[in-house]
Amino acid sequence: MIYIFSAFYAEAKNIIDHYGLKKEKSPEMVRFDVFANESIRLVITGVGEINAAAAVSNIGGAYGISPDDEILNMGCGAGFSSDICLGSIFLGNKLTEQMTGRTFYPDMLMKANFRECEIVTVARVLNEGCDSVVYDMEAAAVYQAAAFFVGPHRMHFIKLVSDAGERIDQSKITELFALQEDKICGYIDRLLSACVDKAPMDDTQSSWNMDRLICDMRCSKVMGDQLAQLIKYCRLGGIDYKAVLDEYYTNGLLPCESKREGKKCLFELKQRLL
């Protein structure tokens, strides 16, 4: 299941229409509007960190978000530099909560045809800011609440630049998202493919299997989840990951001697395979 969290209906309308999401008669404990089909559940959170965190927690408890689900925070934001034009979309590779200074890093396992940037989550609307940064009011809160249910490799943050701090009509927001619908839905389609592909990996022709690979790379639980997700995306994309891993074993790069070496090995695999 993919859980999409957006602050406004205007941000989500095109996605709701594209996937034929219907307003759900939710459990009594749910306090937010939910639109769903068999694979996607989209939630309108309201504006701000408190609303966003409450929505993720409420939905996670009511529906039972599992570690295999994907979390997508999709919404609009403000940009203040000349290279961030109105209507452009970005994928967040770093989230900063302005109020506390805390930073969070989603794992960027799935490549997308989006520019990447830092997203700074603020408590109020700004009329100025730093270059090459998109400002929003929910992302850091979504990350922190979602971390109780999924790992950072299953969190995704897409932001469309809708303004430079000025008020903007809701209909204009919907129009801007309509222009980027194909790209955003393409990203969601890739997440859907990753979710529905449950076929077991056939590694019988290689010198390794998934359990051995996790052990040989000295993976923690989070690293093991990242590695499994990496292999899944490679399978979906037709990437010959088996040849690369066989090469690592042949050249003595696996097994790793320590967890530190394992982290380095996982990073290098991401660079080679994605």
Side-chain angles (χ1 to χ4, degrees):
M1 179 70 74
I2 298 175
Y3 288 86
I4 302 175
F5 294 91
S6 295
F8 300 115
Y9 179 82
E11 298 170 330
K13 183 182 185 304
N14 297 294
I15 302 303
I16 292 170
D17 294 342
H18 183 96
Y19 291 102
L21 306 183
K22 303 299 182 184
K23 190 168 184 180
E24 199 167 54
K25 187 177 181 180
S26 304
E28 186 177 348
M29 68 185 74
V30 173
R31 297 291 184 263
F32 300 88
D33 287 339
V34 179
F35 300 82
N37 62 19
E38 67 278 2
S39 304
I40 298 172
R41 189 166 281 127
L42 187 149
V43 184
I44 306 300
T45 68
V47 178
E49 288 196 78
I50 292 176
N51 284 330
V56 175
S57 300
N58 185 217
I59 297 301
Y63 291 100
I65 294 176
S66 80
D68 292 327
D69 291 329
E70 303 283 348
I71 304 291
L72 169 60
N73 174 222
M74 184 191 70
C76 55
F80 299 99
S81 62
S82 59
D83 66 331
I84 298 181
C85 60
L86 184 71
S88 56
I89 52 175
F90 292 85
L91 190 65
N93 58 15
K94 175 184 178 181
L95 312 177
T96 299
E97 186 176 48
Q98 187 185 58
M99 185 177 295
T100 63
R102 297 181 66 191
T103 55
F104 311 95
Y105 295 89
D107 285 331
M108 311 299 287
L109 288 181
M110 191 169 77
K111 296 299 182 181
N113 190 27
F114 300 158
R115 290 170 61 188
E116 296 180 8
C117 76
E118 177 183 1
I119 299 171
V120 176
T121 299
V122 297
R124 60 180 179 82
V125 176
L126 304 179
N127 53 26
E128 61 180 358
C130 298
D131 289 350
S132 303
V133 171
V134 172
Y135 293 85
D136 89 325
M137 300 179 75
E138 293 84 30
V142 170
Y143 183 102
Q144 292 175 82
F148 286 96
F149 303 100
V150 303
H153 61 297
R154 296 195 184 275
M155 299 189 206
H156 314 265
F157 298 84
I158 294 176
K159 297 295 170 177
L160 179 148
V161 177
S162 61
D163 60 89
E166 72 278 7
R167 287 186 176 274
I168 181 170
D169 187 78
Q170 296 289 296
S171 62
K172 181 63 175 179
I173 291 175
T174 300
E175 290 176 12
L176 291 172
F177 272 97
L179 295 174
Q180 299 288 1
E181 182 177 332
D182 288 346
K183 284 188 177 181
I184 295 172
C185 290
Y187 191 91
I188 294 172
D189 287 342
R190 292 181 66 189
L191 291 179
L192 286 170
S193 296
C195 287
V196 302
D197 182 23
K198 301 298 183 182
M201 287 187 294
D202 178 14
D203 301 320
T204 55
Q205 302 304 313
S206 298
S207 60
W208 55 273
N209 58 45
M210 196 64 204
D211 290 339
R212 179 187 169 188
L213 182 60
I214 289 173
C215 179
D216 286 350
M217 207 174 287
R218 305 295 186 259
C219 290
S220 63
K221 177 63 169 62
V222 171
M223 287 172 61
D225 289 343
Q226 293 174 8
L227 180 58
Q229 189 79 340
L230 173 64
I231 298 300
K232 179 185 288 186
Y233 284 133
C234 288
R235 293 177 64 231
L236 291 172
I239 299 169
D240 189 5
Y241 64 93
K242 293 182 181 181
V244 175
L245 289 169
D246 286 339
E247 174 191 321
Y248 271 54
Y249 277 103
T250 300
N251 294 337
L253 299 175
L254 283 170
C256 297
E257 294 293 331
S258 65
K259 184 177 177 181
R260 182 176 181 179
E261 282 190 16
K263 287 183 177 180
K264 181 181 178 181
C265 183
L266 179 57
F267 176 80
E268 290 175 351
L269 282 173
K270 291 178 185 178
Q271 297 300 304
R272 286 192 64 176
L273 295 173
L274 295 179

